[in-house]
Amino acid sequence: ILNVEQSPQSLHVQEGDSTNFTCSFPSSNFYALHWYRWETAKSPEALFVMTLNGDEKKKGRISATLNTKEGYSYLYIKGSQPEDSATYLCAFGLNTGNQFYFGTGTSLTVIP
Amino acid sequence: GAVVSQHPSWVICKSGTSVKIECRSLDFQATTMFWYRQFPKQSLMLMATSNEGSKATYEQGVEKDKFLINHASLTLSTLTVTSAHPEDSSFYICSARDQKYGYTFGSGTRLTVV
């Protein structure tokens, strides 16, 4: 079982603050890194699929970077809004099979 | 976009009974379906991978006779927890893979065995 770590485990920020979290994964046999946004009682929603070292992707106020050589990805949220409150999951995929290994997630609460 | 419908959202059953969880891809054909389980404060763990029309591939430590997976069509996969026990209480979630949409998750099923 591969170790995918996310930090922090939970985060409370004020509306309007910018924030970021980390996903750490093994640096060998990299295939892809996925970020998901998961609201309670809903399906995880795919945010980004990152495949190349140095990738930077953006979707509205949310962006992500990828460093496959050192094994980490950052997710940034600019000007957090209450609707950003959710658990953010990352999943690491090996180049040797179908399986993706998930982190335990970062739970974000944005306080109005 | 792609949608995977998972039912039921939650279920409570008595110890020794069986429970079936369904995942349907609503607007695409899911050639591959993945079944995950999540215990409290732990990450999603892959249980098995199923391809339409063939036997599922189970991850190490997952009992194939206890967790029966059927993927008889390109739009439906089922997970049956047979002779459920309290230690099977968990959150189960499916994910379908399609060439066009990549990975799409269902909304999960909370199983409680009493």
Side-chain angles (χ1 to χ4, degrees):
Chain A
I1 297 177
L2 294 178
N3 202 26
V4 179
E5 294 186 358
Q6 289 188 249
S7 63
Q9 194 171 35
S10 67
L11 195 56
H12 288 71
V13 300
Q14 290 291 137
E15 182 176 354
D17 286 352
S18 294
T19 187
N20 66 84
F21 357 108
T22 307
C23 174
S24 301
F25 50 86
S27 55
S28 56
N29 299 320
F30 177 86
Y31 173 66
L33 193 284
H34 291 196
W35 279 102
Y36 294 90
R37 180 174 176 275
W38 196 1
E39 289 183 75
T40 304
K42 294 186 179 179
S43 309
E45 172 198 352
L47 288 174
F48 303 113
V49 177
M50 310 185 80
T51 55
L52 297 175
N53 183 44
D55 257 357
E56 289 189 33
K57 297 210 172 180
K58 188 175 180 181
K59 190 175 183 178
R61 294 180 290 99
I62 305 176
S63 59
T65 60
L66 179 67
N67 184 323
T68 60
K69 295 190 187 306
E70 295 182 40
Y72 65 83
S73 176
Y74 292 139
L75 189 78
Y76 300 90
I77 302 179
K78 186 178 178 182
S80 303
Q81 299 296 310
E83 57 265 31
D84 295 329
S85 298
T87 295
Y88 291 83
L89 283 178
C90 67
F92 162 76
L94 283 171
N95 60 10
T96 55
N98 287 321
Q99 185 168 355
F100 274 80
Y101 298 86
F102 284 82
T104 51
T106 293
S107 173
L108 173 67
T109 303
V110 181
I111 303 163
Chain B
V3 176
V4 171
S5 175
Q6 183 171 346
H7 294 282
S9 299
W10 58 271
V11 57
I12 301 173
C13 71
K14 288 187 177 180
S15 189
T17 62
S18 295
V19 173
K20 181 186 281 190
I21 301 169
E22 287 190 354
C23 274
R24 290 181 184 274
S25 56
L26 298 186
D27 47 7
F28 68 103
Q29 293 183 327
T31 52
T32 305
M33 193 79 80
F34 302 92
W35 287 94
Y36 294 87
R37 179 169 54 181
Q38 184 181 36
F39 292 108
K41 301 197 176 187
Q42 295 186 21
S43 54
L44 289 170
M45 295 294 291
L46 182 66
M47 297 175 66
T49 303
S50 70
N51 293 295
E52 184 265 336
S54 61
K55 287 185 179 180
T57 304
Y58 290 81
E59 296 300 309
Q60 195 172 11
V62 178
E63 299 174 59
K64 62 180 180 181
D65 294 329
K66 182 169 185 62
F67 299 99
L68 301 179
I69 291 172
N70 185 287
H71 194 161
S73 79
L74 285 171
T75 59
L76 174 64
S77 178
T78 61
L79 168 68
T80 302
V81 184
T82 62
S83 186
H85 290 285
E87 58 266 28
D88 298 323
S89 298
S90 187
F91 182 80
Y92 295 86
I93 191 167
C94 64
S95 172
R97 187 171 76 178
D98 178 71
Q99 297 293 340
K100 181 178 179 182
Y101 296 109
Y103 294 90
T104 303
F105 282 87
S107 53
T109 298
R110 175 75 59 193
L111 170 64
T112 302
V113 185
V114 298

